[in-house]
Amino acid sequence: MEGGWEDHLHFGLLGEHVLVDGLHLDSAWSFCLASILTIFICLSERVLTYAISKKWNPFSSRRQSRVGTALWRSCLYWLVTFDRLLYMLIGMTFSLGLIVVAITTLAAGQFVIEYLDLAPHNSRDPEHVKEPLLPSPMDDRSSSEASSSYPPSRPNRPRSRSKPDSIFIHPNHSNIARADAAAVQLGLSGDTDLVKGNVYPADGETWEHGRGRDVARELLLGR
């Protein structure tokens, strides 16, 4: 096309206008000025984008109304949108050199943003999370002393053994058998619940050798 403008990507300096009147891409010097302008616009866009993402407000120390906060954030959004439209217009010159400058500047700004977001105090990466140290023997000793001091420890008492389901008690060592014998001597046999149904050997009758356990069982079970 005539008039110093091409509708495709190119590296030539064909005299394209770059945003403002008087800035034409017709020399190396004008290209450097256009590159500086592009870098400034792209960096300001990244800074404003970071400020919006962090909800930065220079008036945060003061008590500000909801309307004031919303107005401030809207102004930041207006500025960042204006910057984005400006570097879009720079890209519409189809100058591949300025496009590379804009992309490189935006990528460098994004690198700084990512680096700040990945700071150690904000990192959630498991590799950067410090695990708690294991307690040392001295810590265990101090904690055991503290726990032993308060509350006071109770003396250890031996646990009582559970009584077996079936156990044989000799009549001489049984209070029930002694009570039954006393009831028999008093003539109360058969009148009380303890001695009812129990039969004891007659006077003079002795236990046979080796059958004491069987005789005691018969006496206790009322057989």
Side-chain angles (χ1 to χ4, degrees), residues 106-208:
L106 292 174
Q110 185 64 29
F111 171 80
V112 175
I113 292 175
E114 296 294 340
Y115 181 80
L116 294 176
D117 288 339
L118 295 177
H121 60 278
N122 292 330
S123 177
R124 298 295 181 180
D125 191 352
E127 296 180 358
H128 298 87
V129 177
K130 295 183 179 180
E131 297 182 356
L133 297 177
L134 296 176
S136 61
M138 296 300 297
D139 296 337
D140 295 340
R141 183 178 300 176
S142 61
S143 61
S144 62
E145 292 177 356
S147 62
S148 60
S149 60
Y150 184 82
S153 59
R154 297 181 180 179
N156 295 328
R157 297 180 180 178
R159 294 183 177 180
S160 59
R161 297 180 179 180
S162 58
K163 185 177 180 181
D165 295 336
S166 59
I167 184 172
F168 170 74
I169 302 177
H170 194 274
N172 292 334
H173 301 94
S174 175
N175 293 328
I176 298 177
R178 292 176 182 175
D180 291 345
V184 170
Q185 293 178 0
L186 295 175
L188 300 176
S189 178
D191 295 332
T192 61
D193 295 336
L194 294 176
V195 300
K196 193 175 293 183
N198 292 336
V199 179
Y200 291 88
D203 295 338
E205 186 178 352
T206 58
W207 290 359
E208 298 180 5

Side-chain angles (χ1 to χ4, degrees), residues 9-223:
L9 295 176
H10 59 85
F11 286 99
L13 301 176
L14 305 177
E16 301 92 335
H17 287 279
V18 181
L19 297 181
V20 295
D21 188 19
L23 185 56
H24 303 274
L25 293 179
D26 53 4
S27 63
W29 173 250
S30 62
F31 179 81
C32 290
L33 291 178
S35 298
I36 294 174
L37 179 61
T38 303
I39 292 173
F40 175 78
I41 292 173
C42 293
L43 286 180
S44 63
E45 187 273 337
R46 288 290 83 193
V47 172
L48 292 173
T49 300
Y50 185 73
I52 292 175
S53 65
K54 296 301 180 180
K55 298 181 179 180
W56 173 72
N57 190 345
F59 310 106
S60 58
S61 59
R62 305 176 184 177
R63 185 175 181 180
Q64 195 173 12
S65 62
R66 295 173 58 185
V67 176
T69 302
L71 182 61
W72 168 254
R73 294 180 182 177
S74 298
C75 291
L76 291 179
Y77 180 78
W78 187 93
L79 291 174
V80 73
T81 305
F82 183 71
D83 283 339
R84 290 169 182 173
L85 290 175
L86 288 180
Y87 66 66
M88 182 190 70
L89 293 174
I90 292 175
M92 291 180 65
T93 60
F94 288 97
S95 176
L96 194 57
L98 290 181
I99 292 176
V100 171
V101 171
I103 294 174
T104 304
T105 306
L106 292 174
Q110 185 64 29
F111 171 80
V112 175
I113 292 175
E114 296 294 340
Y115 181 80
L116 294 176
D117 288 339
L118 295 177
H121 60 278
N122 292 330
S123 177
R124 298 295 181 180
D125 191 352
E127 296 180 358
H128 298 87
V129 177
K130 295 183 179 180
E131 297 182 356
L133 297 177
L134 296 176
S136 61
M138 296 300 297
D139 296 337
D140 295 340
R141 183 178 300 176
S142 61
S143 61
S144 62
E145 292 177 356
S147 62
S148 60
S149 60
Y150 184 82
S153 59
R154 297 181 180 179
N156 295 328
R157 297 180 180 178
R159 294 183 177 180
S160 59
R161 297 180 179 180
S162 58
K163 185 177 180 181
D165 295 336
S166 59
I167 184 172
F168 170 74
I169 302 177
H170 194 274
N172 292 334
H173 301 94
S174 175
N175 293 328
I176 298 177
R178 292 176 182 175
D180 291 345
V184 170
Q185 293 178 0
L186 295 175
L188 300 176
S189 178
D191 295 332
T192 61
D193 295 336
L194 294 176
V195 300
K196 193 175 293 183
N198 292 336
V199 179
Y200 291 88
D203 295 338
E205 186 178 352
T206 58
W207 290 359
E208 298 180 5
H209 180 70
R211 297 188 67 251
R213 180 178 299 181
D214 297 336
V215 173
R217 286 180 178 177
E218 292 177 0
L219 292 175
L220 292 176
L221 298 178
R223 294 180 179 179

